[in-house]
Every structure is written in C-alpha cells, then in structure tokens.
C-alpha cells in the first residue's frame, strides 16, 4: 500500500500526523495499521470522549469484561483503557524506535474529575504509566492551574507527558515553564532525558466556534471580516512563543545539551466545525517544523484527499498579532473566551467519563448475568 501524497507532503513539512481516536475494534480490525501504512499516521491521542464512544460499542470489550468478572467499575475502566493503549503502543513501537521516541506515542488521560487536584493527578499519572508499561506511552494531564505542578512532578519522574486543554497563550507559557522545570528535576533525579517526550496540546477549532459567535452578534463589516481567523492566529502565536521560549531560555540550552527534547506544540481540536470552512483548515493553515497535528479520521481523510501540506506559519506573526488587536478593538476579550473554553473542556470530559462508567457498568452486568 502506497503512502498518500497529500499526507506525505504535510509530514515532509515537519508535521507529525497523529490520529485522535482509538478503540478495540480499530486495533483488532487492522484499521490502525492501515492508517500507519497509507496516511503517515505516527501516533495516537485519546481522551475521555473518545473512550466514551469506544466503550459504548457492545461486543469488542465483552470478552475482557467476562474475564474481569464483577469487578469495581473504576477498576474495569482502567483495565479496558490501558489494554487498548498498551496494544496501540505495541503497534507503534517500530515507529517509536525509528524516530528515537519522538513519534510512535500513544496518549492516555488521567481521570478528568481530578483536573483541579494536583496531588491526585500526579499519583494517577504515575499509576497509569506503570499500568501501560510501555516507553512510548504518554500521560495526558490538563493544563489547569492545579495541573501545572502535577505536570512538573510527573516529568521529574521520567514520565512522558501530553499537556492537554491549552487555549490561551498565557497558559501555554506557564506550560512551557512547567515542562522545563520538570525536565530540570528529571535531570537532577538522574533520568535519561533523551526519551522523555512531551507535547503541549493547544486546542484550535473551539476558539473559532466561540469567537465567531461573538463576531456574528457584533454584526459589523469589520467583525464579519474576522470570522474564522481567531483560532489560527492564536495557534500561530503559540508557535511564535514556542520558538522564542526554547531559543532564549538559558536553562533549556543546558538541558538540550544533555539530550533533552523540546516539548512540541500539538494542534488539537482540528476537526472543522463550521461547514463553510475547508475540512483541512486547521491542518493546512498550521504547517511548520516540529509540530504535531492530531486529527479525527474524518479530517485525516479530507487531508488525504485535498490537503496542501506547504508551510503556512512562517512569516505570519505580525498578521496574527494584528488579528488579535482587531478582535480586542471590537470588545472581544480573548482571555475571557479561553478561560471559559478551559472550564467547558474539563466539564465536557467529566460528562464523557460519566458515560464511560455507565457503559462499562452496563457491560459488567450484561456479560456476568
């Protein structure tokens, strides 16, 4: 099976294509292996909503539920999800080894109900890492204020971290600082820095959904001209921050000399929600070296059919700052928008986790009579 020319071009421009989806049926059907072979997929992200969808399927998990018996539902969920992630990491092991563990990563998220509990997040991150027991796993921790010290503490133990639910530049800068602190502590703790991986998942399309609504309410010609521009501008400015922080922080230069790898920006929430926009909008407009784009299969398929793949971030910083200034002039406070998106994101994942627990409990009851 030949690789796709469109996804190949995106990959050649420095973008690691990860799939934002995982399920037992995807693993067992060979679908995941096919996407690796034909569409340049080199990693996977999961979240509570993805597992809610996967575990809602009747059938694929019944055998393991039968084996587990009438266990506590929380234990059952942990067994089911870590099994899927472990199996996926094994599928990606060759890619992990060939890229020196830059790619080939599979992420699993801590319980979203712990998003505002630092110590419990840190404890569960370590438990999940040990449970999956694969060097190419990544533990997802939300970038709440309480999550920041947990991110540092987890990295300090030599555990790879995917920082999720980042919406604002202010929070992203705090995430980079938490990352550098964690890698510094990992170094002090004697860990090999070369294989500690980290990505900062910066959410994209949800910003346009929120800002476009405010622009429509404004109704002016200037507001109309800014529709569909806030999310990409916000993400491009995050990339500017990425370049600046890692090139100027003296702590980082010393760590990099010891083999530490930069925490790459990861574009998340890249499915296009507005049908008026290109289905590849949040991929094609965010192409640059050293980024990850994790996308649902629908977006991946659109990219394979019509993606451009040419670099699109270089040279855009002035324009992106101008877009943010124009939004502010219209009275749109981007910090208010991103603060709400973070809170809503945590709440959404908690709702999804409640669905996971309910579906798995129903499965336990069904297969065990």
């Amino acid at each position: 099976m030949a690789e796709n020319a469109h996804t190949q071009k995106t990959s050649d421009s420095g973008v690691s294509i990860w799939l934002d989806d995982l399920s037992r049926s995807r693993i067992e059907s060979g679908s995941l292996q096919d996407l690796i072979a034909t569409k340049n997929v080199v990693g996977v992200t999961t979240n509570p909503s993805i597992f809610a969808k996967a575990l809602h399927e009747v059938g694929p998990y019944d055998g393991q539920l039968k084996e587990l018996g009438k266990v506590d539902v929380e234990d059952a969920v942990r067994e089911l999800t870590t099994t899927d992630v472990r199996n996926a990491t094994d599928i990606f092991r060759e890619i992990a080894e060939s890229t020196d563990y830059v790619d080939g990563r599979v992420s699993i998220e801590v319980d979203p109900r712990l998003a505002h509990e630092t110590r419990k997040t840190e404890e569960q991150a370590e438990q999940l890492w040990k449970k999956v027991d694969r060097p190419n796993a990544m533990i997802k921790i939300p970038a709440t204020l309480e999550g920041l010290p947990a991110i540092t503490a987890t990295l300090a133990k030599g555990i790879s971290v995917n920082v999720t639910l980042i919406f604002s530049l202010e929070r992203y800068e705090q995430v980079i600082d938490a990352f550098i602190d964690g890698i510094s502590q990992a170094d002090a703790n004697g860990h090999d820095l070369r294989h500690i991986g980290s990505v900062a998942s910066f959410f994209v399309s949800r910003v346009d959904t929120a800002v476009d609504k405010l622009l429509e309410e404004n109704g002016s010609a200037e507001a109309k001209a800014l529709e569909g521009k806030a999310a990409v501008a916000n993400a491009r400015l995050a990339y500017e921050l990425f370049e600046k922080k890692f090139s100027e922080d003296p702590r980082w230069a010393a760590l990099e000399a010891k083999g530490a790898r930069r925490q790459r920006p990861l574009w998340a929430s890249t499915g296009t929600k507005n049908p008026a926009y290109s289905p590849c909008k949040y991929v094609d407009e965010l192409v640059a070296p050293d980024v990850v784009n994790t996308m649902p299969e629908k977006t991946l398929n659109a990219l394979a059919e019509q993606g451009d793949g040419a670099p699109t971030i270089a040279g855009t910083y002035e324009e992106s700052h101008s877009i943010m200034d124009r939004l502010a002039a219209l009275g749109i406070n981007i910090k208010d928008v991103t603060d709400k998106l973070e809170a809503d994101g945590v709440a959404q994942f908690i709702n999804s986790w409640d669905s996971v627990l309910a579906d798995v409990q129903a499965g336990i009851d069904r297969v065990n009579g």
Side-chain angles (χ1 to χ4, degrees), residues 224-273:
K224 183 73 180 167
L226 286 168
E227 286 180 16
K229 293 189 174 175
V232 167
N234 197 41
R236 286 173 172 174
L237 293 176
Y239 190 79
E240 180 187 35
L241 187 59
F242 160 73
E243 289 188 312
K244 183 179 171 63
K245 290 283 283 186
F246 284 105
S247 64
E248 295 180 2
D249 192 312
R251 295 175 302 161
W252 183 251
L255 292 167
E256 203 161 40
K258 295 180 178 182
R261 298 183 184 279
R262 295 179 179 199
Q263 180 190 57
R264 292 185 292 170
L266 177 151
W267 311 130
S269 179
T270 56
T272 306
K273 298 181 175 57

Side-chain angles (χ1 to χ4, degrees), residues 9-10 12-15 204 231-237 239-240 243 267 280-291 293 303 307-320 323:
K9 187 177 178 186
T10 301
D12 289 343
S13 292
V15 179
V204 187
V232 167
N234 197 41
R236 286 173 172 174
L237 293 176
Y239 190 79
E240 180 187 35
E243 289 188 312
W267 311 130
C280 306
K281 176 178 175 62
Y282 302 112
V283 184
D284 279 346
E285 295 184 29
L286 293 171
V287 174
D290 295 320
V291 302
N293 194 307
L303 183 71
D308 184 88
T312 47
I313 293 183
T316 63
Y317 299 152
E318 192 177 331
E319 178 196 2
S320 298
I323 287 167

